[in-house]
């Protein structure tokens, strides 16, 4: 593989890394309440919860949204980028979820400036015009500017989300490290098909209809004792 291709792989690993300074590790997206309520109590139930949300929520809305955003960034279509940003913010079912994506988007927007990478100048200029920017919007902009293959980008985006959920389960259930690796192996095996489907899903068929997830996120807002911010 040519050096340019290897550089894109390295950049993608950077984008998908838990070390990305956006605070993702502080959020559980309702998983903590699912543990508190008894819906998640062991490795098997954690796997079912995360896999269902990956397939029916993240995979059918966030993933195709990221692909559409990468396409818009590549084609320099700021109107589409703004529309998708507004729609994603409006799609957040609870105050915590909206605050989560806005905080992570704000942090990633700041990172665009701090990286001092000339290839990201266009991304920085566009996101600075948005009063509130969602995390996937900035993430997709960086991926497009770094010329990362969309299928690889979606795979990494889904993996990063799944890894964060598993890490939350390890802390909240709690589970052991071996359980976490088994869960990641199982989820990782599902991600390629979900990514391919997302690449081909028309916008008219996008859906984040996951009622149990929405209820868990809403209940988390009044949970008495918690480790996570969502």
């Amino acid at each position: 593989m040519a050096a340019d291709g290897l550089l894109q792989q390295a950049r993608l690993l950077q984008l998908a890394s838990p070390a990305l300074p956006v605070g993702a590790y502080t959020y559980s997206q309702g998983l903590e309440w699912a543990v508190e309520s008894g819906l998640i109590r062991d490795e098997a139930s954690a796997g079912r919860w995360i896999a269902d949300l990956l397939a029916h929520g993240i995979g059918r809305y966030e993933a195709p949204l990221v692909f559409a955003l990468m396409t818009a960034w590549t084609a320099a279509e700021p109107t589409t980028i703004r529309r998708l940003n507004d729609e994603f913010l409006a799609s957040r079912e609870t105050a915590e979820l909206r605050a989560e994506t806005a905080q992570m988007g704000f942090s990633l927007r700041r990172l665009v400036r701090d990286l001092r990478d000339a290839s990201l100048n266009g991304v920085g200029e566009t996101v600075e015009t948005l009063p509130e920017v969602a995390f996937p919007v900035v993430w997709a902009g960086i991926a497009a500017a770094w010329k990362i293959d969309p299928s690889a980008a979606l795979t990494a985006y889904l993996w990063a989300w799944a890894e964060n959920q598993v890490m939350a389960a390890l802390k909240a259930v709690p589970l052991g490290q071996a359980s976490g690796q088994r869960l990641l192996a199982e989820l990782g095996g599902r991600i390629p098909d979900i990514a391919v489907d997302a690449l081909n899903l028309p916008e008219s068929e996008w859906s984040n209809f996951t009622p149990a997830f929405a209820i868990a996120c809403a209940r988390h807002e009044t949970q008495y004792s918690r480790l996570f911010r969502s």
Side-chain angles (χ1 to χ4, degrees):
M1 181 180 289
D4 285 349
L6 293 174
L7 176 60
Q8 289 164 7
Q9 285 190 8
R11 292 288 186 251
L12 184 56
L13 290 171
Q14 182 178 359
L15 265 181
S17 171
L20 196 69
V22 295
Y25 68 94
T26 64
Y27 299 101
S28 81
Q29 297 196 344
L31 184 143
E32 186 174 27
W33 182 84
V35 173
E36 176 74 15
S37 68
L39 289 171
I40 296 177
R41 57 194 175 278
D42 53 22
E43 179 182 334
S45 53
R48 285 193 298 272
W49 178 274
I50 299 170
D52 284 351
L53 188 53
L54 177 67
H56 302 298
I58 307 302
R60 291 190 62 82
Y61 184 57
E62 276 192 53
L65 175 92
V66 167
F67 176 55
L69 282 163
M70 287 188 67
T71 303
W73 279 111
T74 301
E77 297 177 347
T79 300
T80 301
I81 293 166
R82 292 190 189 96
R83 175 180 66 82
L84 293 173
N85 180 68
D86 291 344
E87 289 179 1
F88 186 77
L89 289 170
S91 76
R92 301 300 81 195
E93 295 92 336
T94 68
E96 282 188 352
L97 284 177
R98 184 185 175 99
E100 174 183 344
T101 197
Q103 179 272 304
M104 291 173 63
F106 174 85
S107 296
L108 198 53
R109 176 167 58 186
R110 183 173 58 192
L111 181 63
V112 169
R113 296 194 301 265
D114 292 344
L115 284 174
R116 301 173 186 172
D117 182 340
S119 69
L120 299 178
N121 287 347
V123 177
E125 290 169 4
T126 298
V127 296
E128 288 293 344
T129 68
L130 300 173
E132 194 172 35
V133 61
F135 172 73
V137 174
V138 194
W139 197 97
I142 298 172
W146 281 345
K147 303 185 185 306
I148 294 169
D149 177 73
S151 59
L154 288 195
T155 300
Y157 188 90
L158 292 166
W159 170 264
W161 178 87
E163 183 179 35
N164 195 65
Q165 286 285 285
V166 169
M167 294 304 296
L170 259 62
K171 297 171 185 175
V173 175
L175 300 174
Q177 294 296 325
S179 291
Q181 291 303 308
R182 284 192 294 269
L183 288 172
L184 286 172
E186 170 64 24
L187 294 164
R190 296 171 182 250
I191 284 175
D193 287 341
I194 294 172
V196 169
D197 289 345
L199 287 167
N200 297 294
L201 193 67
E203 189 171 350
S204 61
E205 296 181 23
W206 295 1
S207 173
N208 66 337
F209 182 66
T210 47
F213 168 68
I215 291 169
C217 292
R219 293 288 181 86
H220 186 269
E221 293 185 345
T222 57
Q223 188 170 327
Y224 173 70
S225 177
R226 55 188 188 171
L227 299 172
F228 299 94
R229 297 170 66 184
S230 74

